[in-house]
């Protein structure tokens, strides 16, 4: 079972000593939940009685905590998460921070931001909230993800559509997009089996399998997105550190200028490919 990331609790929500050894915590610990106390607090905040027991049972059975709760957090923003939809990861905070900086620097009065392979729409949502007034569009091939994203993007007036990468975008955006964020799958096919069970069993394989070398979707995003960019305009994709040389080569092949942003604390690497 994948350990949930530690939750940042404030003084009002800290776990009381009397809660430390209760039945919920014991069940979660026995199932391998490293942060059992934090998870117990979150589950109690969601329900009590029989409903709490049902939620704990789902978690103990291996369902991701975020799916059980119905929400996840990215960069301090809570987003709706639905069963079967990819859960945003903490490392993607780096992409959010860099995309926000670029969106704020855009010359357009109302920057256009596009979130491809959007999943819950979390990346586009947080960029929009941090930037201010943006025109936000999100696309995913999975209808369940699109429904989830639309729920999240409604708060900033964004629009989520079903489609295969840029094929899901309205034609009038071509040449107007300031920032494209694409948290595409980049795990090589042969390594998907090594992922934690929570991801393998409860998230769509299309959200994690990046093809033979993990960069199949990365190459497609860079190639397709180039013609949609304004000048200046930028495409951001998350990759693994060892994939950087090949990802940079793919950006240059799309006539984009690559640079790499890293955060060792987050274990995150983001390729930024900019229009010439």
């Amino acid at each position: 079972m994948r350990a949930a990331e530690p939750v940042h609790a404030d003084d009002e929500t800290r776990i009381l000593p009397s809660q430390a050894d209760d039945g919920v915590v014991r069940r979660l610990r026995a199932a391998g939940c490293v942060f059992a106390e934090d998870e117990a607090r979150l589950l109690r905040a969601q329900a009590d009685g029989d409903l709490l027991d049902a939620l704990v049972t789902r978690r103990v059975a291996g369902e991701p905590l975020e799916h059980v709760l119905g929400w996840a957090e990215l960069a301090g923003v809570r987003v709706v998460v639905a069963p079967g939809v990819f859960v945003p990861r903490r490392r993607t905070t780096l992409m959010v921070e860099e995309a926000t900086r670029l969106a704020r620097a855009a010359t357009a009065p109302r920057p256009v931001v596009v979130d491809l392979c959007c999943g819950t729409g979390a990346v586009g949502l947080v960029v929009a909230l941090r930037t201010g007034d943006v025109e936000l569009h999100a696309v995913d091939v999975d209808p369940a993800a699109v429904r989830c994203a639309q729920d999240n993007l409604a708060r900033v007036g964004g629009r989520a559509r079903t489609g295969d990468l840029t094929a899901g975008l309205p034609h009038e955006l071509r040449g107007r997009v300031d920032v494209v964020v694409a948290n595409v799958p980049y795990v090589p096919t042969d390594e998907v089996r090594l992922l934690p069970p929570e991801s393998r069993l409860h998230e769509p394989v299309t959200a994690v399998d990046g093809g033979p070398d993990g960069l199949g979707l990365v190459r497609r995003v860079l190639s397709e997105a180039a013609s949609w960019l304004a000048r200046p305009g930028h495409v951001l994709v998350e990759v693994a550190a060892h994939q950087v040389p090949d990802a940079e080569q793919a950006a240059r092949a799309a006539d984009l200028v690559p640079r790499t942003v890293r955060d060792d604390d987050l274990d995150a690497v983001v390729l930024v490919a900019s229009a010439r």
Side-chain angles (χ1 to χ4, degrees):
M1 181 177 297
R2 175 176 61 87
E5 293 176 351
V7 178
H8 302 288
D10 58 29
D11 290 338
E12 295 180 355
T13 56
R14 292 188 188 281
I15 300 167
L16 299 175
S18 61
Q19 295 175 335
D21 294 312
D22 69 12
V24 171
V25 172
R26 287 197 300 273
R27 290 176 65 190
L28 294 171
R29 281 179 180 162
C33 299
V34 177
F35 302 104
E37 290 85 357
D38 286 339
E39 293 195 17
R41 174 177 57 79
L42 290 170
L43 291 166
R44 282 196 187 88
Q46 199 82 1
D48 56 20
D50 290 344
L51 181 54
L52 173 61
D53 182 70
L55 295 182
V56 174
T57 297
R58 288 171 59 189
R59 178 61 180 141
V60 167
E63 192 170 343
L65 176 65
E66 298 86 351
H67 286 168
V68 174
L69 294 172
W71 59 269
E73 185 177 290
L74 177 63
V77 176
R78 185 178 291 194
V79 296
V80 174
V81 175
V85 178
F86 183 78
V87 175
R89 308 306 202 243
R90 180 171 173 266
R91 71 172 67 91
T92 305
T93 301
L94 179 62
M95 178 184 287
V96 166
E97 292 172 346
E98 186 65 16
T100 299
R101 187 185 69 79
L102 294 171
R104 288 174 174 171
T107 57
R110 190 172 186 237
V112 177
V113 176
V114 167
D115 187 350
L116 297 179
C117 296
C118 66
T120 63
V123 178
L125 171 65
V126 180
V127 172
L129 288 172
R130 290 187 170 190
T131 304
D133 186 22
V134 304
E135 182 180 344
L136 176 60
H137 300 264
V139 178
D140 200 289
V141 73
D142 181 4
V146 172
R147 288 191 296 270
C148 186
Q150 190 56 57
D151 286 344
N152 286 312
L153 301 189
R155 62 196 286 192
V156 292
R159 172 75 184 274
R161 297 176 174 85
T162 303
D164 186 9
L165 298 183
T166 59
L169 294 174
H171 295 297
E172 59 267 23
L173 289 183
R174 191 177 292 273
R176 294 182 48 228
V177 179
D178 297 290
V179 176
V180 174
V181 289
N183 192 14
V184 301
Y186 55 92
V187 177
T189 300
D190 288 346
E191 296 179 19
V192 170
R193 60 184 173 81
L194 304 177
L195 292 173
E198 288 188 8
S199 178
R200 287 188 289 103
L201 300 177
H202 296 281
E203 294 177 323
V205 67
T206 53
V208 295
D209 188 343
D213 67 351
L215 294 176
L217 267 293
V218 170
R219 293 188 183 92
R220 281 193 59 200
V221 165
L222 294 169
S223 176
E224 292 187 22
S227 65
W228 293 79
L229 294 178
R231 266 52 175 179
H234 314 274
V235 184
L236 290 82
V237 291
E238 195 173 282
V239 296
H242 71 274
Q243 295 172 325
V244 167
D246 288 340
E248 289 183 341
Q249 181 179 355
R252 287 188 287 267
D255 200 28
L256 298 171
V257 180
R259 62 182 175 87
T260 304
V261 183
R262 301 171 187 259
D263 187 316
D264 292 337
D265 291 336
L266 291 172
D267 189 26
V269 180
V270 173
L271 176 77
V272 181
S274 303
R276 296 179 183 275

